[in-house]
Short mmCIF file of all heavy atoms in Angstrom, two decimals:
data_model
loop_
_atom_site.label_atom_id
_atom_site.label_comp_id
_atom_site.label_asym_id
_atom_site.label_seq_id
_atom_site.Cartn_x
_atom_site.Cartn_y
_atom_site.Cartn_z
N VAL A 182 44.50 107.24 58.84
CA VAL A 182 44.17 106.55 57.59
C VAL A 182 43.95 105.09 57.91
O VAL A 182 44.73 104.47 58.65
CB VAL A 182 45.31 106.71 56.55
CG1 VAL A 182 45.04 105.86 55.32
CG2 VAL A 182 45.47 108.17 56.17
N PHE A 183 42.88 104.50 57.36
CA PHE A 183 42.56 103.10 57.60
C PHE A 183 42.70 102.33 56.30
O PHE A 183 42.22 102.77 55.24
CB PHE A 183 41.15 102.95 58.17
CG PHE A 183 41.03 103.45 59.58
CD1 PHE A 183 40.71 104.78 59.83
CD2 PHE A 183 41.27 102.60 60.65
CE1 PHE A 183 40.62 105.25 61.13
CE2 PHE A 183 41.19 103.07 61.95
CZ PHE A 183 40.85 104.38 62.20
N PHE A 184 43.34 101.15 56.38
CA PHE A 184 43.73 100.42 55.18
C PHE A 184 43.50 98.92 55.36
O PHE A 184 43.63 98.37 56.46
CB PHE A 184 45.21 100.68 54.88
CG PHE A 184 45.75 99.93 53.71
CD1 PHE A 184 45.59 100.41 52.42
CD2 PHE A 184 46.43 98.73 53.89
CE1 PHE A 184 46.10 99.71 51.33
CE2 PHE A 184 46.93 98.01 52.82
CZ PHE A 184 46.77 98.51 51.52
N MET A 185 43.17 98.26 54.23
CA MET A 185 43.06 96.81 54.20
C MET A 185 43.42 96.31 52.81
O MET A 185 43.05 96.94 51.81
CB MET A 185 41.64 96.36 54.55
CG MET A 185 41.45 94.83 54.55
SD MET A 185 39.70 94.32 54.62
CE MET A 185 39.21 95.06 56.18
N ASN A 186 44.16 95.21 52.76
CA ASN A 186 44.42 94.52 51.50
C ASN A 186 43.59 93.25 51.51
O ASN A 186 43.69 92.44 52.43
CB ASN A 186 45.90 94.20 51.33
CG ASN A 186 46.17 93.46 50.04
OD1 ASN A 186 46.13 92.25 49.99
ND2 ASN A 186 46.44 94.22 48.98
N PHE A 187 42.75 93.09 50.47
CA PHE A 187 41.87 91.93 50.42
C PHE A 187 41.65 91.51 48.98
O PHE A 187 41.34 92.35 48.13
CB PHE A 187 40.51 92.27 51.07
CG PHE A 187 39.52 91.13 51.07
CD1 PHE A 187 39.59 90.14 52.02
CD2 PHE A 187 38.55 91.06 50.08
CE1 PHE A 187 38.70 89.09 52.01
CE2 PHE A 187 37.65 90.01 50.07
CZ PHE A 187 37.72 89.01 51.03
N ASN A 188 41.82 90.23 48.72
CA ASN A 188 41.55 89.65 47.40
C ASN A 188 42.29 90.42 46.29
O ASN A 188 41.71 90.74 45.25
CB ASN A 188 40.03 89.64 47.13
CG ASN A 188 39.63 88.68 46.03
OD1 ASN A 188 40.38 87.77 45.70
ND2 ASN A 188 38.47 88.90 45.45
N GLU A 189 43.55 90.76 46.60
CA GLU A 189 44.43 91.47 45.67
C GLU A 189 43.95 92.89 45.37
O GLU A 189 44.31 93.50 44.36
CB GLU A 189 44.60 90.69 44.35
CG GLU A 189 45.23 89.31 44.56
CD GLU A 189 45.45 88.57 43.25
OE1 GLU A 189 44.94 89.04 42.21
OE2 GLU A 189 46.13 87.54 43.28
N LYS A 190 43.12 93.41 46.26
CA LYS A 190 42.66 94.79 46.13
C LYS A 190 43.03 95.56 47.39
O LYS A 190 43.13 94.98 48.47
CB LYS A 190 41.14 94.85 45.91
CG LYS A 190 40.65 94.12 44.66
CD LYS A 190 39.15 94.18 44.55
CE LYS A 190 38.64 93.42 43.32
NZ LYS A 190 38.84 91.96 43.46
N ASN A 191 43.20 96.85 47.27
CA ASN A 191 43.49 97.72 48.40
C ASN A 191 42.27 98.58 48.70
O ASN A 191 41.66 99.16 47.79
CB ASN A 191 44.69 98.62 48.10
CG ASN A 191 45.95 97.82 47.86
OD1 ASN A 191 46.31 96.96 48.66
ND2 ASN A 191 46.62 98.08 46.75
N LEU A 192 41.93 98.66 49.98
CA LEU A 192 40.81 99.51 50.43
C LEU A 192 41.36 100.51 51.42
O LEU A 192 42.06 100.13 52.38
CB LEU A 192 39.71 98.66 51.08
CG LEU A 192 39.07 97.58 50.20
CD1 LEU A 192 39.81 96.25 50.36
CD2 LEU A 192 37.61 97.37 50.58
N ILE A 193 41.06 101.77 51.21
CA ILE A 193 41.62 102.81 52.06
C ILE A 193 40.55 103.86 52.37
O ILE A 193 39.72 104.18 51.51
CB ILE A 193 42.85 103.45 51.39
CG1 ILE A 193 43.64 104.28 52.40
CG2 ILE A 193 42.48 104.25 50.16
CD1 ILE A 193 45.04 104.61 51.91
N SER A 194 40.55 104.34 53.60
CA SER A 194 39.59 105.34 54.02
C SER A 194 40.31 106.42 54.80
O SER A 194 41.21 106.13 55.61
CB SER A 194 38.50 104.71 54.88
OG SER A 194 37.61 105.70 55.36
N PHE A 195 39.93 107.67 54.55
CA PHE A 195 40.59 108.79 55.23
C PHE A 195 39.66 110.01 55.22
O PHE A 195 38.68 110.08 54.48
CB PHE A 195 41.92 109.14 54.56
CG PHE A 195 41.82 109.38 53.08
CD1 PHE A 195 41.47 110.62 52.56
CD2 PHE A 195 42.09 108.35 52.19
CE1 PHE A 195 41.38 110.84 51.21
CE2 PHE A 195 42.00 108.55 50.81
CZ PHE A 195 41.64 109.79 50.32
N HIS A 196 39.99 110.96 56.09
CA HIS A 196 39.32 112.26 56.11
C HIS A 196 40.21 113.27 55.40
O HIS A 196 41.43 113.25 55.55
CB HIS A 196 39.07 112.72 57.55
CG HIS A 196 38.06 111.88 58.29
ND1 HIS A 196 38.36 110.65 58.80
CD2 HIS A 196 36.76 112.12 58.59
CE1 HIS A 196 37.28 110.15 59.40
NE2 HIS A 196 36.30 111.02 59.29
N GLU A 197 39.58 114.18 54.65
CA GLU A 197 40.33 115.19 53.92
C GLU A 197 39.57 116.51 53.94
O GLU A 197 38.36 116.55 54.15
CB GLU A 197 40.55 114.75 52.47
CG GLU A 197 39.26 114.60 51.69
CD GLU A 197 39.46 114.17 50.25
OE1 GLU A 197 40.62 114.08 49.81
OE2 GLU A 197 38.45 113.94 49.55
N ARG A 198 40.30 117.59 53.70
CA ARG A 198 39.69 118.89 53.52
C ARG A 198 39.29 119.07 52.07
O ARG A 198 40.08 118.80 51.16
CB ARG A 198 40.67 119.99 53.93
CG ARG A 198 40.88 120.11 55.43
CD ARG A 198 39.68 120.77 56.08
NE ARG A 198 39.79 120.77 57.55
CZ ARG A 198 38.84 121.24 58.35
NH1 ARG A 198 37.73 121.72 57.83
NH2 ARG A 198 39.00 121.20 59.64
N PHE A 199 38.04 119.50 51.87
CA PHE A 199 37.55 119.72 50.51
C PHE A 199 36.65 120.95 50.51
O PHE A 199 35.65 121.00 51.21
CB PHE A 199 36.76 118.49 50.03
CG PHE A 199 36.20 118.63 48.64
CD1 PHE A 199 37.03 118.52 47.54
CD2 PHE A 199 34.85 118.89 48.45
CE1 PHE A 199 36.52 118.65 46.25
CE2 PHE A 199 34.33 119.02 47.17
CZ PHE A 199 35.17 118.90 46.06
N GLU A 200 37.06 121.96 49.75
CA GLU A 200 36.33 123.22 49.67
C GLU A 200 36.05 123.81 51.05
O GLU A 200 34.94 124.26 51.36
CB GLU A 200 35.03 123.03 48.88
CG GLU A 200 35.27 122.65 47.43
CD GLU A 200 33.99 122.50 46.64
OE1 GLU A 200 32.90 122.51 47.26
OE2 GLU A 200 34.06 122.39 45.40
N GLY A 201 37.06 123.78 51.90
CA GLY A 201 36.97 124.39 53.22
C GLY A 201 36.28 123.55 54.28
O GLY A 201 36.21 123.95 55.44
N MET A 202 35.74 122.40 53.88
CA MET A 202 35.05 121.51 54.83
C MET A 202 35.77 120.17 54.88
O MET A 202 36.62 119.87 54.06
CB MET A 202 33.59 121.32 54.42
CG MET A 202 32.77 122.60 54.38
SD MET A 202 32.58 123.37 56.01
CE MET A 202 31.57 122.13 56.83
#
Side-chain angles (χ1 to χ4, degrees):
V182 173
F183 289 89
F184 177 84
M185 180 192 300
N186 179 271
F187 180 82
N188 199 20
E189 299 183 350
K190 300 178 181 69
N191 298 309
L192 300 91
I193 194 164
S194 177
F195 53 85
H196 292 77
E197 63 180 355
R198 287 285 174 183
F199 180 75
E200 295 182 350
M202 299 296 293

